[in-house]
Amino acid sequence: MKRNRFIRVVSMLIAVGVTVVHLAACGKDKTNDSPPVTFRIMSWNEDFRNLMENYFIPRHSELMRNVRLEWVTDEINGYRSGVQRRLADGEQIDLFLGDSEMAPYFAADNNVATLAQVGINDSELSAQYRFARILGSDRDGVQKGSAFDIEPGILLYRTDYAEQYLGITHQEEMQEKLSSWDSFVSVARALSENSGGKVRMLPNSAELWKSVECAMYGLWLSEGQLSVSDETIGHWLDIVKELESLNAFAGVKTLDDDWYSSIDSGVFCFYAAPWLCKSSPAGQADITTVFSSARRSGASFGKFKTSLAPNGFVYGGRWLYCPKKSANMDIAAEIIRAFTCDSGFMKLIALAEMQYVNNSDVCSELAGMKIPNPLFDGLDAFSVYNAAARGLEFSSPTVYDASISRLLYDQTKKYGNGEIRLSEAINHFRLNVWKKHEEITSEP
């Protein structure tokens, strides 16, 4: 699961190397002669800074009266290793952000404080979604990261294609058809046959792999050994092969120009998340993104509905962390508390920014409000997000999971095209894991 690539590209243009921005949050209190406290926050773009300036600082003026915020912005490429290097070197960082892919690394880093050490009690985290807490915790279940926005994965499907080629007009019926991998493949088969191959099931196989990655969190290894069975490996490879045999993938790379074109024509189903398709109730352009940009042609805008995937997945999200060596844990605690524990503040962010926040009580309330999303022809998307978030169940990931999953994905092309047998694909996968991670003790 990844954050908005468009925003990342913008941040890369802004941040050549490291960009540091100084902000005197509310000005120095003239009655206080003590020097201002410098509080350093690290991220890969300007999003969190905007949230701090627009929402947190105005509502916490007393706390921030004598605080000078210093922003450290690194490019997203290499961001995680950059954070860990700075922490290991003892550089002052008081708060930093991480996404779902970085979470296992930051949770395992001894230079990162636990939330209890920061001063946040477990009872304050009770409304957070369980999967978000797991991703923010180490292998012993000790939570270090606290997410403020989460991105439970959903499927978007074209309602016009569903009606024309599948004879389906109701969202509930389509949900049933996409609820298992067997039925998912059956839909791809019917779509190919009935459209004469004009409409593909997915833009690419990499999107589907998001389900695999989350389903296998924490399951690849046992006591330092690659313990997954051949049957499980073959299960994931066979799904891709069946879909390849049906010519179900359009072969366009996610977020490339051809992918944007496929939104309007030729692809039935997309892996998505709230950040990809948020839109204001009135459809104003300032609160639309990615899928909403299909409006530029008008061909597909309003023709999508949402569904859950056969296996739930996470596609982004942002966690807040505090280093152990921070001298300003009290300030960090209040920022984390507001963004990830305070229901009133989180509801404000959710409604103002149309973000899906990490608070099940707030999100259930939002689902009950039936806020229409014009991208989905007025459908309330928050109800689907809530169901997706509540249904996410997986083990605590390790720092090896993403790498191992990618090594298995590398075998899908040759196996899917019939160039190698299943046994060969499995053996190649096991060998490549051992070659890349020699510390994993199960040699093939």
Side-chain angles (χ1 to χ4, degrees):
M1 96 44 289
K2 297 180 179 178
R3 281 293 298 169
N4 189 324
R5 182 175 172 184
F6 172 76
I7 294 175
R8 289 177 175 179
V9 171
V10 173
S11 72
M12 288 170 65
L13 294 175
I14 293 173
V16 179
V18 179
T19 301
V20 181
V21 182
H22 296 275
L23 171 68
C26 292
K28 184 180 178 181
D29 184 356
K30 294 182 180 180
T31 64
N32 186 349
D33 292 331
S34 61
V37 173
T38 298
F39 189 89
R40 301 187 87 207
I41 303 176
M42 187 169 178
S43 184
W44 57 85
N45 60 33
E46 298 289 300
D47 284 3
F48 190 67
R49 179 183 178 183
N50 294 334
L51 293 176
M52 284 287 293
E53 293 178 356
N54 292 334
Y55 304 105
F56 182 83
I57 293 173
R59 288 161 181 81
H60 297 81
S61 57
E62 191 60 35
L63 173 70
M64 304 300 289
R65 186 177 302 280
N66 202 38
V67 175
R68 183 183 68 184
L69 293 184
E70 190 170 281
W71 298 92
V72 182
T73 306
D74 269 3
E75 295 179 3
I76 188 64
N77 293 328
Y79 172 84
R80 187 262 303 169
S81 59
V83 170
Q84 292 187 292
R85 183 179 63 253
R86 289 170 187 266
L87 298 185
D89 291 345
E91 183 176 331
Q92 183 196 345
I93 299 292
D94 296 296
L95 189 73
F96 66 92
L97 281 75
D99 65 14
S100 57
E101 291 188 349
M102 303 171 194
Y105 295 89
F106 292 148
D109 195 319
N110 289 328
N111 292 311
V112 180
T114 68
L115 292 181
Q117 290 170 332
V118 177
I120 296 177
N121 299 320
D122 193 69
S123 61
E124 298 181 78
L125 307 168
S126 60
Q128 295 191 350
Y129 285 96
R130 183 172 180 272
F131 83 88
R133 297 194 65 181
I134 289 174
L135 285 175
S137 301
D138 63 19
R139 296 288 287 171
D140 295 323
V142 178
Q143 192 169 351
K144 292 183 174 182
S146 193
F148 63 93
D149 73 335
I150 55 172
E151 304 295 339
I154 59 171
L155 297 179
L156 298 186
Y157 71 90
R158 285 280 295 268
T159 55
D160 52 343
Y161 290 161
E163 182 174 4
Q164 182 177 356
Y165 299 118
L166 303 173
I168 294 175
T169 56
H170 296 291
Q171 182 191 20
E172 294 79 7
E173 186 179 358
M174 195 72 251
Q175 172 67 79
E176 179 64 27
K177 294 288 187 181
L178 298 173
S179 62
S180 71
W181 287 116
D182 286 343
S183 57
F184 189 93
V185 172
S186 295
V187 168
R189 180 176 294 107
L191 192 67
S192 177
E193 292 174 353
N194 296 338
S195 73
K198 291 189 299 183
V199 178
R200 310 295 179 87
M201 185 68 176
L202 288 167
N204 54 61
S205 58
E207 291 200 359
L208 176 146
W209 212 251
K210 299 180 192 303
S211 285
V212 181
E213 290 176 337
C214 282
M216 293 303 297
Y217 272 163
L219 301 181
W220 290 114
L221 303 176
S222 177
E223 297 181 352
Q225 294 187 359
L226 184 62
S227 58
V228 66
S229 69
D230 287 357
E231 182 181 11
T232 298
I233 297 170
H235 167 70
W236 297 122
L237 290 173
D238 281 337
I239 289 172
V240 177
K241 183 173 184 178
E242 285 191 81
L243 291 170
E244 287 280 11
S245 71
L246 296 170
N247 203 23
F249 303 118
V252 297
K253 187 176 181 181
T254 302
L255 297 178
D256 276 3
D257 287 343
D258 289 341
W259 181 86
Y260 277 99
S261 296
S262 74
I263 293 175
D264 283 336
S265 178
V267 173
F268 175 63
C269 195
F270 295 84
Y271 272 61
W275 68 268
L276 277 161
C277 47
K278 66 181 181 178
S279 182
S280 68
Q284 286 93 350
D286 61 332
I287 314 206
T288 60
T289 184
V290 187
F291 274 98
S292 298
S293 67
R295 172 176 293 193
R296 63 188 179 185
S297 70
S300 64
F301 192 84
K303 293 182 180 179
F304 285 103
K305 286 287 190 291
T306 60
S307 172
L308 302 182
N311 278 101
F313 61 99
V314 182
Y315 197 175
R318 289 173 290 181
W319 280 252
L320 295 174
Y321 301 87
C322 178
K324 277 184 180 178
K325 294 182 180 179
S326 170
N328 300 304
M329 278 193 181
D330 55 338
I331 300 172
E334 291 309 311
I335 295 173
I336 295 173
R337 185 171 284 117
F339 278 94
T340 71
C341 305
D342 185 333
S343 295
F345 187 79
M346 297 175 82
K347 181 179 178 181
L348 170 69
I349 298 292
L351 288 173
E353 299 287 329
M354 282 292 138
Q355 285 189 345
Y356 197 77
V357 296
N358 183 26
N359 187 302
S360 59
D361 294 337
V362 169
C363 291
S364 293
E365 184 180 351
L366 289 173
M369 293 169 65
K370 303 297 181 184
I371 301 172
N373 187 320
L375 176 64
F376 309 137
D377 192 26
L379 173 72
D380 160 40
F382 278 98
S383 294
V384 179
Y385 300 152
N386 201 29
R390 290 184 180 280
L392 275 171
E393 293 288 342
F394 46 70
S395 301
S396 178
T398 74
V399 295
Y400 294 101
D401 287 356
S403 173
I404 293 175
S405 178
R406 290 189 184 102
L407 291 173
L408 180 57
Y409 180 71
D410 289 344
Q411 299 302 315
T412 60
K413 185 173 183 180
K414 288 186 176 181
Y415 178 60
N417 292 337
E419 296 178 39
I420 57 175
R421 298 188 301 272
L422 179 60
S423 59
E424 291 176 303
I426 293 173
N427 288 336
H428 291 170
F429 162 70
R430 292 189 180 280
L431 177 62
N432 289 339
V433 171
W434 179 71
K435 287 168 66 176
K436 183 169 184 177
H437 302 290
E438 294 181 4
E439 65 274 27
I440 295 176
T441 57
S442 55
E443 182 179 352

